[in-house]
Amino acid sequence: MADLPEIPDSLIEYPSDFPIKVMGAHHPDFVAVLTEVVLRHDPGFDPESVEKRPSSGGNYVGLTFIVRATSREQLDALYRELTSHPMVKYVL
């Protein structure tokens, strides 16, 4: 019987740049508040790099954060904090 190939714990190679998309209701503090969350998990994150896209009706905004992923634990913790935040509707 042939040896099976080893399956990695993660398909992401660390460290790497990793995009995280966040959507929520349009609010004047949405970008600043969520940037603070990202900075807690990636202190080297550049707040000027946040991509913002308002919905066609202007009621929602989508943000893209390109974080420097250093471990699965770091990404999991960031996803947990973002998905549990009251301003956030979706995280992709």
Side-chain angles (χ1 to χ4, degrees):
M1 190 165 169
D3 289 333
L4 294 175
E6 195 171 311
I7 299 172
D9 289 337
S10 174
L11 298 176
I12 301 168
E13 291 186 27
Y14 299 102
S16 66
D17 291 337
F18 190 82
I20 297 178
K21 296 183 184 274
V22 181
M23 294 188 66
H26 182 75
H27 185 281
D29 296 328
F30 188 66
V31 176
V33 168
L34 294 179
T35 298
E36 286 179 22
V37 171
V38 170
L39 282 166
R40 278 197 285 277
H41 298 273
D42 178 8
F45 177 74
D46 177 8
E48 297 296 316
S49 70
V50 179
E51 293 179 29
K52 304 165 204 82
R53 292 186 186 200
S55 66
S56 57
N59 295 323
Y60 294 91
V61 64
L63 306 177
T64 301
F65 298 94
I66 308 292
V67 298
R68 188 67 177 164
T70 57
S71 69
R72 180 175 180 161
E73 293 77 19
Q74 174 211 26
L75 284 179
D76 287 350
L78 176 54
Y79 268 93
R80 275 193 301 274
E81 187 168 355
L82 288 171
T83 56
S84 66
H85 197 284
M87 295 177 88
V88 173
K89 298 289 184 200
Y90 299 103
V91 179
L92 304 172

